[in-house]
């Protein structure tokens, strides 16, 4: 998704998850929000066996008209990870001081389910904590369920990302992108999911202050 516009600010967001979690839609909603405010934006996906639960990585580059579509290593301003191990896998692309939103949902790879590899939740979580300065863990699955459908986990995480205060546009801008790009019959569900994700991070910030 490309759009030409005048903008000085550059911002890169990497979205990582597995097939079926809605990562591609999330990336396109972010790009739509950027375009809606007059920014140049492009998206690109790296999709491995997605229909079998393989990893899906979406690159969203805002204000980078002369740059390539893939975010370089150690350059992402934000990572939105839909699954714990995918967060860890994506960290090499996060720049120093970058922000990370991590859904705590666990989707074990087939090898771990068969016992041929390990999936140590504590080790993965510690690795993420040790390598990210600004991080928010969120149970996006539970929040999406509260909103009315676990399929809205992608919009829950967008709400959390907006509340983290690192997005290059306002909450209202991305909410408008959701309204304009989600089918009307799912609009109310997604608006609720976004608000719940947003409020979760605001509450977290309040408790830490």
């Amino acid at each position: 998704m490309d759009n030409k516009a005048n903008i000085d600010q550059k911002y890169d967001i990497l979205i990582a998850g597995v097939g079926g979690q809605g990562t591609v839609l999330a990336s396109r909603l972010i790009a739509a929000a950027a375009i809606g405010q007059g920014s140049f934006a492009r998206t690109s996906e790296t999709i491995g066996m997605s229909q079998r639960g393989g990893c899906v990585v979406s690159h969203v580059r805002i204000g980078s008209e002369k740059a390539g579509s893939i975010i370089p290593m150690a350059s992402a301003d934000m990572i939105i990870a839909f699954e714990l191990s995918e967060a860890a896998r994506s960290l090499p692309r996060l720049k120093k001081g970058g922000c990370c939103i991590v859904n705590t949902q666990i989707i074990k790879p087939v090898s771990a389910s068969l016992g041929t590899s390990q999936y140590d939740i504590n080790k993965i979580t510690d690795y993420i904590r040790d390598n990210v300065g600004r991080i928010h863990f969120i149970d996006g699955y539970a929040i999406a369920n509260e909103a009315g459908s676990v399929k809205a986990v992608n919009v829950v995480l967008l709400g959390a990302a907006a509340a983290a205060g690192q997005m290059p546009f306002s909450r209202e801008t991305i909410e408008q992108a959701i309204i304009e790009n989600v089918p009307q019959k799912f609009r109310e569900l997604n608006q609720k999911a976004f608000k719940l994700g947003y409020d979760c991070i605001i509450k977290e910030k309040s408790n830490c202050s």
Side-chain angles (χ1 to χ4, degrees):
M1 180 183 295
D2 291 1
N3 183 58
K4 291 186 177 181
N6 295 320
I7 186 170
D8 295 325
Q9 185 179 10
K10 294 180 175 61
Y11 201 84
D12 290 334
I13 302 173
L14 187 79
I15 302 175
V18 301
Q21 289 186 299
T23 55
V24 174
L25 176 59
S27 71
R28 296 189 177 180
L29 288 174
I30 292 172
I35 290 169
Q37 71 172 10
S39 304
F40 173 87
R42 62 158 52 98
T43 67
S44 178
E45 284 79 43
T46 303
I47 302 176
M49 308 268 305
S50 58
Q51 291 184 349
R52 299 186 181 183
C55 62
V56 179
V57 178
S58 295
H59 304 252
V60 185
R61 308 206 72 184
I62 299 169
S64 298
E65 185 171 0
K66 296 181 180 180
S69 59
I70 302 297
I71 300 171
M73 293 295 182
S75 298
D77 295 279
M78 173 181 281
I79 289 177
I80 303 175
F82 283 52
E83 197 275 336
L84 194 66
S85 66
E86 294 305 322
R89 192 198 308 271
S90 301
L91 288 190
R93 291 198 186 270
L94 186 67
K95 74 178 186 181
K96 185 176 181 180
C99 179
C100 197
I101 308 295
V102 181
N103 180 24
T104 56
Q105 183 178 2
I106 304 300
I107 301 177
K108 291 186 178 182
V110 174
S111 58
S113 299
L114 294 175
T116 57
S117 67
Q118 293 185 340
Y119 191 115
D120 191 316
I121 296 172
N122 291 331
K123 284 185 178 180
I124 295 171
T125 302
D126 289 344
Y127 172 76
I128 296 170
R129 290 188 187 280
D130 290 344
N131 287 277
V132 182
R134 290 182 292 177
I135 185 167
H136 300 278
F137 288 96
I138 178 172
D139 189 346
Y141 185 91
I143 294 172
N145 191 50
E146 181 183 348
S149 172
V150 295
K151 293 183 178 180
V153 66
N154 52 359
V155 179
V156 168
L157 295 178
L158 290 184
Q166 306 300 317
M167 291 284 223
F169 37 72
S170 68
R171 169 184 178 173
E172 291 74 22
T173 300
I174 193 164
E175 283 185 304
Q176 185 62 33
I178 292 170
I179 290 172
E180 293 176 355
N181 290 277
V182 171
Q184 185 172 0
K185 63 181 179 179
F186 300 122
R187 195 169 294 162
E188 184 176 350
L189 163 67
N190 281 279
Q191 286 177 296
K192 183 177 181 180
F194 182 91
K195 182 180 185 302
L196 289 174
Y198 188 95
D199 290 347
C200 178
I201 301 302
I202 295 300
K203 182 178 179 181
E204 176 191 309
K205 287 182 173 182
S206 177
N207 290 338
C208 292
S209 63

